[in-house]
Amino acid sequence: MATRAGSERMVEVALAAALAGSEVIRAAASGPGGEVAAEVKGRSGDYVTEVDRASERAVTEVLRSESGLPVVGEEEGGRRAARYWLVDPLDGTTNFVHGLPIVGVSVALVDHARPAAGVVHAPLLGETFLGARGAGAERRTDSGSIPLRVSDRDPGTAVVGTGFPFRRKDVLARYLRMFGAALERFEDLRRPGAASLDLAWTAAGAFDGFFELGLSPWD
């Protein structure tokens, strides 16, 4: 099992990897004009671009060279082991394709089925969320860093994040019931479109909660 010191070191590895993938995304976002070509992976609305793949290659190269552990990525897959990396190289691909800056790179170390260290970086927003088991978690921006702390607002004044089940139309009726109940209970709902960032913002207290159906492990 990972020690605290080992997990802290792995956070630095995850951060380096996430920043490598983010450089790919930033370069593509600031490149010459023209739309990013997107392919439909499976269900309508579930896209992948060459930027997703290039970011995953950049992330994977750092993780393998710095840790030697196997990598499981959203685009290329991989093999799970007692300890392995779990990667979403571009969370919010639809946002990226449409020119919305709410996208993230998510890198986590899984140790015997439990998260031990993780980083979520928002390359177009300048925010980084990182933490290690037993060592706390923080939010970094250009102006400094602060510890992550969940909100303690009253539910009646809460703003809660959500994500629509666009891949799972079979659960749409269930989701709409949840959506209606949440909108009645809370002050308001938000749908940014990148679950890794939604969860990070919840950990930081920017959102007072978050719910979504059908998320994948890398989210």
Side-chain angles (χ1 to χ4, degrees):
M1 301 294 286
T3 63
R4 172 173 171 169
S7 293
E8 289 176 330
R9 177 186 173 274
M10 288 303 192
V11 166
E12 296 307 315
V13 173
L15 177 58
L19 292 177
S22 294
E23 283 301 315
V24 173
I25 295 169
R26 271 195 295 270
S30 62
E35 295 185 356
V36 176
E39 305 167 24
V40 178
K41 287 197 292 187
R43 298 173 184 268
S44 176
D46 192 7
Y47 299 111
V48 62
T49 70
E50 182 51 37
V51 180
D52 294 71
R53 299 187 181 102
S55 174
E56 187 164 312
R57 289 192 294 269
V59 170
T60 298
E61 181 178 353
V62 173
L63 295 177
R64 287 179 176 161
S65 65
E66 294 296 325
S67 72
L69 296 175
V71 178
V72 177
E74 179 181 8
E75 308 308 334
E76 301 298 329
R79 68 175 183 86
R80 287 166 169 77
R83 300 177 77 216
Y84 66 95
W85 295 103
L86 194 57
V87 173
D88 189 337
L90 203 176
D91 187 21
T93 300
T94 299
N95 285 351
F96 184 74
V97 169
H98 286 263
L100 296 172
I102 303 174
V103 300
V105 179
S106 178
V107 180
L109 175 66
V110 181
D111 185 348
H112 291 80
R114 295 180 62 201
V119 169
V120 177
H121 180 64
L124 306 181
L125 300 177
E127 288 190 307
T128 307
F129 304 85
L130 64 165
R133 189 191 308 164
E138 63 184 74
R139 178 186 197 175
R140 294 181 185 173
T141 65
D142 292 339
S143 59
S145 65
I146 57 173
L148 294 188
R149 181 178 179 181
V150 297
S151 162
D152 61 0
R153 294 184 187 91
D154 180 87
T157 62
V159 174
V160 174
T162 186
F164 305 145
F166 64 93
R167 299 185 187 93
R168 294 284 309 277
K169 303 301 185 186
D170 58 308
V171 299
L172 185 57
R174 176 185 169 199
Y175 175 80
L176 290 174
R177 290 194 297 272
M178 295 166 61
F179 182 93
L183 198 54
E184 288 181 359
R185 178 67 171 122
F186 307 125
E187 181 176 292
D188 207 350
L189 300 179
R190 295 286 185 273
R191 203 281 190 184
S196 63
L197 285 172
D198 293 334
L199 290 164
W201 285 324
T202 302
F207 281 154
D208 303 295
F210 173 74
F211 68 97
E212 184 169 350
L213 298 174
L215 289 177
S216 299
W218 41 76
D219 295 316

